């Protein structure tokens, strides 16, 4: 079966979208620079700039110095011309973010709210979103709402198939948006965070995202696209076996990565508070330093296994990942020691998004849909 050739309309739409993407990455840019970067003709770029200006997505921003001819106009993005809302629903709280067309975090808020499928919870969700949008005077600029869920989301996004964290099965996703005033999309939380990490990152086309939160999960991104597997379970790195016959995981099996690398492994030493654990490291608590060293040794094995399996960059995020830039120094030598094929650990990076990565990634789906359909 051959692919249907792109129509003239499809080509125009793709060129317009790519023109906006290019402008969004710059503070200002000329039409000549756009033709060079995009490989498009001058008339095509001229028309795209005109249309994007009329849509209120870009604006003239002065002129460049003359090099002998007419001064070239500079164009700048209006990054907050459209905004998207992201929600991350967990067992204990709701996170809500507002992002611009570049995926930059504009505002965020977190509300303690134990999850339930009750009407009261859904009303709370709707009130939180409406109040948040109103506080930011964004009603007329909202593209939609992306909702991150801690579980398996069906390919059609119409069911939350299973969530251990929320303790539910086969819940129609329409349940979550009955009180929400904008169109919604749904995505697994680790996949959403992985999308956030790769979005706008020109150096990472292939990426493994390892989420180190109260459970361990992850995302596989190949050529900028999510690989979800035959049964929507790709990226369940927490259930790889790390130590045969080892600690019992919440799934009932023994020796899973989750039992050694979840955030709870650390926060259990500080009465459930992960920030308190890392504050203890800052203060030099010897017991916590010992626990952290052991944690990193197991984490190094898990990360090396991902590197050996996928041969691409690995980023660690989630609750623990947010602290790795400050406390992950000892991880580098451990990864180098285990690396069979190179003498460094440059393939590994801590996450860019320290706050609400899953909510940002969910919202980015709305942004990307908008840009693709310009």
């Amino acid at each position: 079966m051959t692919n249907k050739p792109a129509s003239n309309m499809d080509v125009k739409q793709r060129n317009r979208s790519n023109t906006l993407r290019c402008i969004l990455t710059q503070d200002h840019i000329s039409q000549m620079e756009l033709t060079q970067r995009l490989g498009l003709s001058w008339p095509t770029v001229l028309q795209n700039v005109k249309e994007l200006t009329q849509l209120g997505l870009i604006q003239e921003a002065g002129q460049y110095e003359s090099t002998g001819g007419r001064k070239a106009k500079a164009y700048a993005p209006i990054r907050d011309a459209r905004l998207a809302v992201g929600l991350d629903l967990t067992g204990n709280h709701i996170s809500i973010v507002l992002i611009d067309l570049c995926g930059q975090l504009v505002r965020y808020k977190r509300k303690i709210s134990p999850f339930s499928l009750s009407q009261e919870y859904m009303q709370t969700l709707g009130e939180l979103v409406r109040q948040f949008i109103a506080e930011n005077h964004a009603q007329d600029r909202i593209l939609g709402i992306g909702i991150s869920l801690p579980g398996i989301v069906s390919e059609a996004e119409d069911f939350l198939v299973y969530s251990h964290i929320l303790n539910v099965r086969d819940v129609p996703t329409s349940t979550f948006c009955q009180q929400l005033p904008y169109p919604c999309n749904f995505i697994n939380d680790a996949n959403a965070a992985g999308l956030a990490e790769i979005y706008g990152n020109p150096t990472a086309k292939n990426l493994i995202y390892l989420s180190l939160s109260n459970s361990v999960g992850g995302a596989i991104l190949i050529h900028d696209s999510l690989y979800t597997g035959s049964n929507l379970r790709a990226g369940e790195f927490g259930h790889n076996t790390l130590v045969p016959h080892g600690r019992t995981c919440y799934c009932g099996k023994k020796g899973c990565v989750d039992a050694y690398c979840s955030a709870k492994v650390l926060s259990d030493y500080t009465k459930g508070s992960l920030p308190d654990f890392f504050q203890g490291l800052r203060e030099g608590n010897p017991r916590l330093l010992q626990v952290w060293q052991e944690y990193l040794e197991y984490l190094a094995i898990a990360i090396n296994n991902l590197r050996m399996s996928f041969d691409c960059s690995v980023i660690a995020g989630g609750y623990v990942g947010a602290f790795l830039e400050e406390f992950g120094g000892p991880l580098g030598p451990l990864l180098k020691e285990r690396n069979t094929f190179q003498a460094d650990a440059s393939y590994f990076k801590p996450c860019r998004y320290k706050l609400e990565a899953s909510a940002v990634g969910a919202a980015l789906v709305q942004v990307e849909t908008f840009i693709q359909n310009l």
Side-chain angles (χ1 to χ4, degrees):
M1 182 177 178
T2 57
N3 292 328
K4 183 180 177 181
S7 68
N8 191 44
M9 187 69 72
D10 291 335
V11 172
K12 285 183 176 179
Q13 186 178 63
R14 182 167 62 245
N15 288 340
R16 190 162 51 241
S17 297
N18 288 339
T19 301
L20 178 59
R21 288 184 207 282
C22 188
I23 295 172
L24 285 170
T25 66
Q26 307 296 313
D27 289 329
H28 52 78
I29 191 169
S30 70
Q31 290 181 29
M32 181 59 74
E33 287 177 288
L34 284 169
T35 62
Q36 293 169 347
R37 287 172 182 261
L38 296 168
L40 298 175
S41 69
W42 178 275
T44 297
V45 169
L46 185 64
Q47 181 62 28
N48 289 340
V49 166
K50 179 181 177 182
E51 292 173 356
L52 293 171
T53 302
Q54 290 172 342
L55 288 168
L57 301 175
I58 67 173
Q59 61 188 348
E60 287 189 24
Q63 296 178 322
Y64 288 88
E65 289 297 320
S66 174
T67 56
R70 286 178 62 184
K71 291 183 178 181
K73 292 180 180 178
Y75 290 89
I78 307 174
R79 294 186 173 94
D80 61 354
R82 301 289 189 280
L83 302 166
V85 174
L87 288 171
D88 181 33
L89 308 186
T90 76
N92 297 310
H93 69 263
I94 301 167
S95 292
I96 181 168
V97 303
L98 196 65
I99 67 166
D100 65 19
L101 289 173
C102 288
Q104 294 300 309
L105 189 60
V106 178
R107 295 282 187 278
Y108 76 95
K109 188 175 187 178
R110 180 177 285 196
K111 178 181 176 65
I112 300 299
S113 184
F115 175 80
S116 77
L117 285 174
S118 67
Q119 191 63 28
E120 291 76 15
Y121 181 87
M122 302 308 161
Q123 287 174 348
T124 296
L125 205 57
E127 290 168 4
L128 178 64
V129 169
R130 285 190 292 272
Q131 180 183 2
F132 183 73
I133 292 172
E135 287 172 352
N136 292 284
H137 310 289
Q139 293 92 326
D140 297 332
R141 292 177 288 159
I142 300 298
L143 297 171
I145 301 170
I147 301 179
S148 157
L149 297 168
I152 297 172
V153 178
S154 65
E155 193 168 359
E157 299 184 22
D158 54 350
F159 274 88
L160 175 58
V161 178
Y162 170 69
S163 172
H164 164 76
I165 289 174
L166 302 183
N167 193 29
V168 295
R169 287 181 182 272
D170 298 322
V171 178
T173 51
S174 58
T175 305
F176 301 103
C177 57
Q178 56 187 269
Q179 300 286 334
L180 301 180
Y182 296 93
C184 299
N185 62 273
F186 299 88
I187 186 172
N188 165 268
D189 56 352
N191 286 345
L195 282 177
E197 288 295 333
I198 207 169
Y199 195 82
N201 185 347
T203 63
K205 296 298 179 185
N206 302 325
L207 174 70
I208 300 301
Y209 178 78
L210 178 62
S211 177
L212 303 169
S213 291
N214 287 340
S215 62
V216 176
I220 303 167
L221 294 114
I222 306 297
H223 300 305
D224 292 337
S225 297
L226 280 168
Y227 173 73
T228 55
S230 301
N231 300 288
L232 304 175
R233 299 183 196 127
E236 288 286 352
F237 305 134
H239 300 294
N240 289 345
T241 300
L242 188 62
V243 180
H245 314 296
R247 300 173 188 167
T248 301
C249 177
Y250 70 82
C251 73
K253 307 296 183 184
K254 290 185 178 293
C256 293
V257 169
D258 197 286
Y260 293 85
C261 295
S262 81
K264 287 183 176 181
V265 171
L266 305 176
S267 62
D268 281 351
Y269 286 88
T270 47
K271 299 180 181 179
S273 172
L274 192 64
D276 285 354
F277 179 89
F278 286 104
Q279 183 58 35
L281 294 188
R282 291 186 187 99
E283 295 169 358
N285 183 301
R287 177 61 177 137
L288 298 186
L289 287 167
Q290 180 184 356
V291 169
W292 180 236
Q293 180 62 32
E294 181 184 74
Y295 179 95
L296 290 178
E297 288 170 2
Y298 286 123
L299 181 59
I301 297 172
I303 291 171
N304 183 69
N305 287 345
L306 294 175
R307 174 66 170 179
M308 294 302 105
S309 298
F310 295 98
D311 189 30
C312 65
S313 298
V314 179
I315 287 178
Y319 300 163
V320 176
F323 289 94
L324 284 178
E325 195 163 7
E326 182 178 356
F327 295 100
L331 184 59
L334 294 171
L335 290 173
K336 286 169 61 176
E337 182 184 338
R338 291 205 161 268
N339 197 325
T340 303
F341 299 108
Q342 61 190 102
D344 63 50
S346 58
Y347 69 88
F348 174 77
K349 297 286 189 300
C351 57
R352 289 189 298 161
Y353 284 92
K354 307 294 191 291
L355 291 168
E356 312 301 358
S358 294
V360 170
L364 278 170
V365 176
Q366 291 285 349
V367 170
E368 183 61 21
T369 300
F370 170 74
I371 293 176
Q372 284 182 1
N373 293 325
L374 274 174

